[in-house]
Amino acid sequence: MKVAIYCGSAEGKSPDYVNCVKALGRHLAVQGVGVVYGGGNVGLMGVIANAVLQAGGKVIGVIPQHLKSKEIAHPSLTELHIVANMHERKAKMSELADAFVALPGGVGTLEEMFEIWTWGQLGLHDKPCAFYNINGFYDPLFTMVESMQQAGFVKQSYIDMIIKVNSPEALLSAFQAYRAPQPKWS
């Protein structure tokens, strides 16, 4: 199994983000789960890659040419794919991964996760999508999504397809139990 991880190019203000991401990376490696991520060596991107690699796991990076120097492409990955742009990055990560998880991050993390979640709603894939909710980081987002459902813009089945966890064991267990909903127009 390979998990695509979307996360920040910063580490965040709380040391809990770094510590929890390291623990997740170690757990994934020990369980034989590979990581597909943005290819950078900065922020939580670097933290997850280093944790997996240090525990003997495999990490595949996918980085656009224009971000290779800004996000400082990780020099020690199992594989590094350099692509032309962000569209190719997201497509390649989707192709390589069996599941997707958003760790804490910023606008780019949300954009990538929302696109892959939307693809799942449309039936373009049937892979699980998860938010790794360290210290309730994503709680305000979950409240917003519930508001969207109450206003009639999101079906409950599409909210239910999102996995919300805060431990490595719960993440892998939820991935194994995942059943995709019916595509939006089926």
Side-chain angles (χ1 to χ4, degrees):
M1 176 179 214
K2 289 184 286 230
V3 175
I5 294 185
Y6 307 121
C7 60
S9 59
E11 291 184 358
K13 292 183 177 179
S14 171
D16 289 346
Y17 300 133
V18 169
N19 294 333
C20 290
V21 169
K22 283 181 181 178
L24 173 63
R26 286 189 299 267
H27 185 77
L28 293 174
V30 167
Q31 297 302 312
V33 177
V35 166
V36 177
Y37 85 118
N41 197 24
V42 295
L44 291 183
M45 290 179 16
V47 171
I48 190 70
N50 289 329
V52 172
L53 291 168
Q54 288 167 2
K58 295 183 178 177
V59 181
I60 301 170
V62 183
I63 194 165
Q65 181 64 45
H66 76 279
L67 290 179
K68 190 176 170 192
S69 62
K70 292 180 179 81
E71 289 183 351
I72 310 170
H74 198 294
S76 304
L77 302 176
T78 309
E79 294 177 34
L80 179 62
H81 299 266
I82 300 170
V83 296
N85 55 51
M86 291 297 288
H87 296 293
E88 286 185 25
R89 177 195 234 178
K90 292 183 287 185
K92 186 67 169 176
M93 288 177 70
S94 173
E95 172 191 323
L96 293 171
D98 302 304
F100 308 92
V101 61
L103 305 181
V107 175
T109 300
L110 289 178
E111 186 272 333
E112 290 174 311
M113 189 62 177
F114 270 77
E115 182 167 8
I116 206 68
W117 181 12
T118 300
W119 291 2
Q121 289 178 31
L122 297 174
L124 299 175
H125 72 77
D126 61 358
K127 303 170 185 179
C129 298
F131 285 90
Y132 200 75
N133 196 23
I134 299 169
N135 291 347
F137 180 82
Y138 282 113
D139 288 349
L141 176 69
F142 300 151
T143 299
M144 181 64 212
V145 171
E146 290 293 333
S147 295
M148 295 163 87
Q149 186 275 331
Q150 292 168 4
F153 292 104
V154 178
K155 290 182 182 178
Q156 187 64 47
S157 61
Y158 301 133
I159 293 173
D160 294 342
M161 73 187 283
I162 289 297
I163 297 165
K164 304 170 190 173
V165 296
N166 61 8
S167 77
E169 299 81 9
L171 179 66
L172 293 182
S173 178
F175 281 165
Q176 291 172 348
Y178 180 76
R179 299 293 173 260
Q182 290 293 317
K184 191 170 188 169
W185 287 289
S186 61

